[in-house]
Amino acid sequence: MVIVIMKVQATMREISAVIARIEDAGYKVHLSEGDERTIIGLIGEGQPLDIDQIERMAGVERCVPVLQPFKLASKDFKPDGTKFPIGNHIVGGDEIILMAGPCSVESRSQILETAHACKEAGAHILRGGAYKPRSSPYSFQGLGEEGLKYLAEAREQTGMPVVTEVMEPGLVPLVCEYADILQIGARNMQNYALLHAVGESQHPVLLKRGMSSLMEEWLMSAEYVLSHGNKRVMMCERGIRTFERYTRNTFDINAIPVIKHESHLPIIADPSHATGKWEYVSAAARASIAAGADGLIIEVHHRPEEALSDGAQSLKPERFAKLVTEMKAIAQAVDRNIN
Amino acid sequence: MVIVIMKVQATMREISAVIARIEDAGYKVHLSEGDERTIIGLIGEGQPLDIDQIERMAGVERCVPVLQPFKLASKDFKPDGTKFPIGNHIVGGDEIILMAGPCSVESRSQILETAHACKEAGAHILRGGAYKPRSSPYSFQGLGEEGLKYLAEAREQTGMPVVTEVMEPGLVPLVCEYADILQIGARNMQNYALLHAVGESQHPVLLKRGMSSLMEEWLMSAEYVLSHGNKRVMMCERGIRTFERYTRNTFDINAIPVIKHESHLPIIADPSHATGKWEYVSAAARASIAAGADGLIIEVHHRPEEALSDGAQSLKPERFAKLVTEMKAIAQAVDRNIN
Amino acid sequence: MVIVIMKVQATMREISAVIARIEDAGYKVHLSEGDERTIIGLIGEGQPLDIDQIERMAGVERCVPVLQPFKLASKDFKPDGTKFPIGNHIVGGDEIILMAGPCSVESRSQILETAHACKEAGAHILRGGAYKPRSSPYSFQGLGEEGLKYLAEAREQTGMPVVTEVMEPGLVPLVCEYADILQIGARNMQNYALLHAVGESQHPVLLKRGMSSLMEEWLMSAEYVLSHGNKRVMMCERGIRTFERYTRNTFDINAIPVIKHESHLPIIADPSHATGKWEYVSAAARASIAAGADGLIIEVHHRPEEALSDGAQSLKPERFAKLVTEMKAIAQAVDRNIN
Amino acid sequence: MVIVIMKVQATMREISAVIARIEDAGYKVHLSEGDERTIIGLIGEGQPLDIDQIERMAGVERCVPVLQPFKLASKDFKPDGTKFPIGNHIVGGDEIILMAGPCSVESRSQILETAHACKEAGAHILRGGAYKPRSSPYSFQGLGEEGLKYLAEAREQTGMPVVTEVMEPGLVPLVCEYADILQIGARNMQNYALLHAVGESQHPVLLKRGMSSLMEEWLMSAEYVLSHGNKRVMMCERGIRTFERYTRNTFDINAIPVIKHESHLPIIADPSHATGKWEYVSAAARASIAAGADGLIIEVHHRPEEALSDGAQSLKPERFAKLVTEMKAIAQAVDRNIN
């Protein structure tokens, strides 16, 4: 529903033109003529309508959307939260899901060693990048399919399902062969060809928020995936870009209750990217659970000082194990559990 | 300490001029001549030096500050956290301090009624604005001294110390007569005349972060207060301005561990302004404690739908009482307590 | 005028309560009952109404302001642009006014020398700070009244009116004795006590935009000054804070046509702060005139490498003289002139 | 080159470890031992080194990059500006290039009609989207290949080369068949698979800045294209996302002189997206030329009130024709020309 506010000096002819346009698109009109100005409401269901277009018509002051633009992702569409199993765990219920692992898969031994350490510390799902989006063409770009194979081997050894990033539509089938969850990175949140492709896959999707995306846009990107038939989407808050410089990103913790309020989709927090410094990851992780997150994705590396990417924000396995204990205490305090 | 990076093509004469300038200011010079370029470090203590000035000298590529610009506010200066009593409680220790009350003092009965309700629900300190910074000259500007009197009466009846905002240097003495803690609002974080005035008072100060202030600037504003002799400063994170629109502000929860890491000053969270919608206040409040906050300041109003300001973000007393219970559980989970 | 959008499930009782509240405030109600939901419009003139308050009432989805909150500052209030004389020039007409001078008054000889150089290069008004807002308490804070005296002397020698910053209400009378135009700095844009004080003075005001202020808030701050009786306000765009780091601020050049469109007040550009680096000042200055600015304020310093503040963004007099020539060519291309 | 600043308490062993790491990567070390702390500089050419990794080593306070991370895109690499022909015009020289046309290709008649109007008004290159990135899956997504065919037909009729967006690597060959210039949209600025693909094509690229990208990241994205062999890249500033709401984006006009200063690549301005409202497009367009832009891309639509996208920011052909006249005057004032 949209409200069209006409200018004070709008003529009857201009008002009629707006009404005709709205009715042509299949909506009913809801007209309010005041002393000062006329207001036109759109009612019912019609063809998708571009607000810009209406705003450009003669006599129109501005348009105000009354409802949010997403449907399948909205709480109204599905008042109960979305739950689905991943491995032996249920995402979106009382459990809090822990995903952990290195930023990048660097070698067979590195990912196997880290995977075992994460598993022992209490992680449920293994993360690790085989394809890495790097701002420099000269930085390490990931091991590609070789990395996927190592991840699959780590899954076999530890029993942990694997989440990994896919960066282009053409690679979705290949990544699906090896991984359990497809991650859409922040830089690709509005790569619509990619959203389309993962929407047609049958793998759960971890959809990271773009680094300067409105929550509404992020939910619209979820809508892309949902509208192509894939219902298993997890939203992932990973910090937004602001003016602040002490931290790599600003962790928008408000996003956790907002997504819970506006949508039925599970919300995962990424305290590693949201802070960018390992010193602050534990505080941010605890806060995420206190705010209502359904899970976390945390970077863990055996030797962060040798990591090929994101070393500054990775926890050592010992620190991660300590954090799991802390998170369990917080989970209990909010009537959730970490199994 | 500052590092001056010279241009590749800098001449000996230009290098000498920079060295002379630095030595004139009382610093020792730390010279490193490389194949490509010369780097000059400033060592020791000297007169305050403007980096801009050096950067403008011939042959200089840029200057890099190595240490943070604040001293009295830094952790290095005072490795143990600052603690001080307010009423029967200690700020900065194991206790978590709860400040609650309405945005504005609207009437005698309103503030008394709310004060009693906050006290019963578990608050330690009463908040309420007598002087209100409003973006419109046509909005309610606060009751002024009359409001201060009602606050003092509420303190007498409930035993709760009072925190209230002071907006101009000339009013500091008057506000000190009635209030226990002086609040510097976000809009005045860089009102240096005001910082100077509260720095010379003997009242504890609650220093809100400016809505687009770097944490470094916020700590520099604390430095103003500290450098004028007032050691009892509490930092207050109240959300920053970003592009996001679902919430009034973006709660920069990273600020909590960062301030704890960089400074010895207590850090208070304001989940009411940081979200701007009462629906999200509880999640943000719980998260603050999980992240390590030393206290909270929360807007509570008996009839938020009639509040003269900030109604949308105020909790009703029942909701606040429920939140106190939730916060106690989180506090326990992080080995803190709410008495 | 405000539109109140009721929730789909709002009851007749809730709708009636909203109507009663609006009518109590003196407005007429404009009711539209649709299939889905009811929309309530406020018509006519009533008491100032807090939108937050209405939004908090039971059954209300949200409120949409239809008109901007400023009146005296709006184009509707005064369709012709505000023009007034300063010295021998008219601000707000065909002329483009050039203000130039150092960031700070540092010494008598410095300001006199720079003033003469600016005058010769074509400046109309002399800028220079006697009271400086500095983020560090250890930085040079300005010469105070001594600086004002030097500015006054420079005016006598050159005939140029003087613009200088005033930072606290108590100093407005003193600054008015020496200066011709009162500058409100970016950090004080919402220092309401100060806006009140300059609003009661009879000196023209140069109102800098706060570094993260919405244009609407900036116009509301102008409204404060106007509503206290001072009609001679100039808006000054000086760059906003964003994530970008190559430049000190992001020059929001869009502000120039927006202010011209929304308000009758003259708009001045400050390319020195808007870029923060002298290399980019000329490009930004030319762009300002092409976009429709009524004037510029530019930092000029004889020896920028020795400036006590803002050296990095100050032009040398020769460069400023060259820029004046460039600006004259642009002014001519947009049918304005620089005399 | 990078400078590594060690902590005050760093041990000799820690310092040695950092030195060993740097030397292993092939760099020479440049050591400066001060009273307070040791500083280590990297000199010469070595393997790409991850700063995060070094920062994570024991005893390291922080790393400071001295040089920018892009090479092929830098002014140092190619001090003369890049120039290349498009159609009968040269981009990057004295000429200012005008690209104009509708946001989307909506129908054969629409694009042909607009193309002729743009040509008559003075445009050199025709813009028009066949593939549209839309935040909603329910909005018009473009005509696809049909749209490309219409664009090619418009080129034949008018002689204007065509610029159009390509959104996925798999479509680069198809788009190259029909278009003369490949546009990378703001949402895809860090879609590295796509940058790789256009880097291997032989078509000039118009690289839009991401809506919250640092200029450094934008130049790094250009580096991706350049490093894959395509030297004909045009940077396109189209506004960034900030807190301001009067305009759709904030036009970062500073980017024009900064890109000219840091890089040899031509810089094009997009005043349509940078403002989002047709009322402000002319002011922003004139300002772009005054600031030194090498070209503009402007949305023009015959009937903006019926446009399927971006109607609010499109100029009518008459208005565009008037703007061309205005731009010619500005171009002349800065010694450029529009032929």
Side-chain angles (χ1 to χ4, degrees), chain B residues 1 3 5 28 30 32-37 39 62 64-67 241-245, chain D residues 1 3 5 28 30 32-37 39 62 64-67 241-245:
Chain B
M1 187 185 174
I3 292 172
I5 299 162
K28 285 192 211 156
H30 178 205
S32 322
E33 287 163 279
D35 285 358
E36 272 183 351
R37 59 179 81 213
I39 291 166
R62 67 194 177 100
V64 179
V66 176
L67 301 180
R241 176 165 279 181
T242 69
F243 55 83
E244 179 53 52
R245 303 180 184 197
Chain D
M1 186 187 177
I3 293 172
I5 299 162
K28 286 192 211 155
H30 177 207
S32 323
E33 288 163 279
D35 285 356
E36 273 182 352
R37 59 179 81 216
I39 291 166
R62 67 193 178 101
V64 180
V66 177
L67 301 181
R241 177 165 278 182
T242 68
F243 55 83
E244 180 52 52
R245 304 180 181 196

Side-chain angles (χ1 to χ4, degrees), chain A residues 3 30 32 37 62 65 67, chain C residues 30 32 37 39 62 65 67:
Chain A
I3 293 173
H30 178 205
S32 322
R37 60 178 80 214
R62 67 194 178 101
L67 301 180
Chain C
H30 177 207
S32 323
R37 59 178 80 214
I39 290 165
R62 66 193 177 101
L67 301 181

Side-chain angles (χ1 to χ4, degrees), chain B residues 65-331:
Chain B
V66 176
L67 301 180
Q68 58 305 67
F70 46 89
K71 295 176 189 175
L72 306 177
S74 75
K75 192 92 173 178
D76 290 343
F77 179 78
K78 185 169 181 306
D80 292 334
T82 285
K83 290 184 202 180
F84 53 85
I86 298 182
N88 303 319
H89 298 273
I90 305 283
V91 176
D94 288 340
E95 266 187 282
I96 288 167
I97 303 300
L98 304 183
M99 311 181 188
C103 177
S104 306
V105 181
E106 295 165 13
S107 68
R108 183 174 171 276
S109 63
Q110 173 250 15
I111 190 68
L112 291 178
E113 192 176 3
T114 306
H116 283 286
C118 289
K119 170 82 177 177
E120 279 158 35
H124 309 126
I125 294 173
L126 177 65
R127 65 151 289 153
Y131 299 92
K132 299 300 304 171
R134 301 303 299 276
S135 53
S136 168
Y138 312 121
S139 295
F140 174 62
Q141 311 272 324
L143 295 180
E145 189 172 358
E146 187 189 347
L148 293 176
K149 287 179 181 166
Y150 297 153
L151 284 168
E153 189 177 348
R155 175 179 50 202
E156 273 168 53
Q157 292 194 12
T158 62
M160 287 195 290
V162 161
V163 55
T164 198
E165 179 164 356
V166 56
M167 285 170 60
E168 46 182 314
L171 288 175
V172 171
L174 181 71
V175 175
C176 281
E177 273 181 47
Y178 296 98
D180 301 280
I181 303 170
L182 302 176
Q183 178 181 313
I184 300 294
R187 290 175 176 87
N188 281 315
M189 194 202 84
Q190 294 190 315
N191 181 336
Y192 299 117
L194 184 60
L195 295 175
H196 188 133
V198 302
E200 289 182 342
S201 84
Q202 291 310 312
H203 277 56
V205 173
L206 184 74
L207 178 63
K208 292 210 162 186
R209 181 179 183 181
M211 78 183 147
S212 68
S213 293
L214 296 168
M215 290 190 236
E216 187 175 293
E217 293 168 333
W218 184 23
L219 285 164
M220 286 306 290
S221 288
E223 188 86 7
Y224 261 93
V225 179
L226 296 168
S227 69
H228 284 102
N230 190 337
K231 304 299 180 209
R232 294 185 293 168
V233 176
M234 293 172 275
M235 307 297 282
C236 180
E237 164 63 32
R238 45 76 72 200
I240 56 173
R241 176 165 279 181
T242 69
F243 55 83
E244 179 53 52
R245 303 180 184 197
Y246 257 110
T247 49
R248 182 172 169 184
N249 289 297
T250 293
F251 183 19
D252 185 2
I253 198 158
N254 289 347
I256 296 173
V258 171
I259 294 296
K260 286 308 230 187
H261 190 259
E262 296 290 330
S263 178
H264 53 86
L265 297 171
I267 171 86
I268 309 297
D270 174 348
S272 305
H273 286 87
T275 59
K277 293 189 181 163
W278 69 267
E279 293 92 329
Y280 308 132
V281 168
S282 294
R286 292 191 308 263
S288 303
I289 295 177
D294 295 304
L296 289 107
I297 182 163
I298 298 177
E299 288 190 359
V300 176
H301 197 284
H302 250 77
R303 280 177 290 282
E305 65 281 8
E306 294 178 10
L308 295 182
S309 56
D310 281 353
Q313 70 194 33
S314 299
L315 297 185
K316 293 187 184 177
E318 314 81 84
R319 190 69 201 75
F320 176 64
K322 183 167 176 296
L323 173 58
V324 173
T325 309
E326 295 170 14
M327 291 193 293
K328 283 182 176 175
I330 304 282

Side-chain angles (χ1 to χ4, degrees), chain C residues 90-113:
Chain C
I90 305 283
V91 175
D94 288 340
E95 266 188 281
I96 290 167
I97 303 299
L98 304 183
M99 310 181 188
C103 177
S104 307
V105 180
E106 296 165 14
S107 68
R108 182 172 174 276
S109 63
Q110 172 248 17
I111 189 69
L112 291 178
E113 192 177 4

